[in-house]
Amino acid sequence: MTLYDIKPAFQRLLRPACGALAKAGITANQVTIGAMLLSIATGTALAVLHEEHRVLLLVPVTLFLRMALNAIDGMLAREHGMQSALGGLLNELGDVVSDIALYAPFGLIAGISPVVVSATVVLAVLSEMTGVIAVQIEASRRYDGPMGKSDRAFGFGLIAVLLGLGLEPGAWVNACLGIMALLTTATILNRARAALKELAQSG
C-alpha cells in the first residue's frame, strides 16, 4: 500500500475542475509543464532563502498543488482525448525534475546532511526509473511501494512543515531522510521484482 492508492478518490474530487479546464482550452501538457515550473520556482526560492525557515512552508503547498495538477493532467489526457507521446515523456520527466528541484535544496539547510539528502533524491530518481524501465521490458509501469511518489511528497512535506514552524533541523531530519532512503531502496527492489514476476506470469 502507498498513498498512490487513494488517487482514484482524489481524482473524483478534481473532475469538475478538470472539465472546466478542458472547456477553457487548457491542455494536459500545459498542466504538466505548469506543475513542473511551480516545483522549480519553489525549489529555487528554497535554495535562495534556505536560511529563512518560513519559506519551507511553501513546500507542502506546492506538493499539494503538484499532486492535484498531476491528477488533472492525467484525467485531461484520458478523458478528454489529449493523450500523446509527448505527454508521456513530459509526465515522467516532469516528475523527476520536480522531485530534484523541490528536495535537493534541503541539503543547503544548516543541520541537514547534504549527503543524506543527495542519497534520498538519487534513490527517488532510480525508483521512478525502475518503474519506467518495466515498460521497456514489456511489463506494466510499476508503482509499487513502500515509498512511492506520493509517500515521498508526504515525508518531505511533513519535514518542511515542522521546520517551517520553527523546529530546529538536526539529527531527526537526517534520521527521517535515512528511513526514506531505505524504504526507497526497498521500493526499487519491489518494482524490479514485480515487473519480472509479471513477465514470468504472462510468458
Side-chain angles (χ1 to χ4, degrees):
M1 288 288 294
T2 76
L3 288 176
Y4 184 82
D5 296 312
I6 70 171
K7 186 176 181 180
F10 190 52
Q11 286 176 327
R12 284 194 292 272
L13 293 174
L14 294 170
R15 189 158 279 112
C18 178
L21 289 173
K23 288 180 181 179
I26 303 299
T27 69
N29 289 350
Q30 288 171 339
V31 174
T32 303
I33 293 171
M36 181 174 62
L37 293 177
L38 174 64
S39 298
I40 292 172
T42 301
T44 301
L46 180 56
V48 173
L49 303 172
H50 59 272
E51 294 181 357
E52 174 53 65
H53 66 85
R54 284 175 296 184
V55 75
L56 285 156
L57 295 176
L58 291 173
V59 173
V61 175
T62 297
L63 287 170
F64 179 79
L65 291 174
R66 176 186 162 196
M67 182 170 63
L69 291 172
N70 283 346
I72 287 172
D73 71 12
M75 288 190 291
L76 284 171
R78 290 189 305 274
E79 300 173 10
H80 296 273
M82 298 183 188
Q83 287 181 316
S84 66
L86 175 60
L89 286 171
L90 288 175
N91 188 56
E92 295 293 352
L93 289 173
D95 281 342
V96 170
V97 170
S98 295
D99 275 3
I100 294 170
L102 278 173
Y103 304 148
F106 278 75
L108 299 173
I109 300 172
I112 300 179
S113 168
V115 174
V116 176
V117 172
S118 297
T120 305
V121 171
V122 168
L123 287 167
V125 172
L126 290 176
S127 71
E128 297 309 312
M129 182 181 292
T130 305
V132 173
I133 289 174
V135 178
Q136 185 178 353
I137 63 173
E138 300 184 349
S140 59
R141 171 63 160 94
R142 301 307 311 182
Y143 295 99
D144 309 84
M147 185 56 60
K149 179 177 66 176
S150 299
D151 309 284
R152 186 162 57 247
F154 178 81
F156 272 99
L158 180 59
I159 291 171
V161 167
L162 294 174
L163 293 174
L165 293 176
L167 189 61
E168 289 296 319
W172 69 272
V173 178
N174 296 326
C176 288
L177 293 175
I179 292 170
M180 289 174 63
L182 290 174
L183 291 175
T184 304
T185 301
T187 297
I188 294 169
L189 296 174
N190 286 342
R191 290 182 178 184
R193 207 161 27 227
L196 294 173
K197 182 179 178 181
E198 181 183 339
L199 283 178
Q201 290 175 339
S202 63

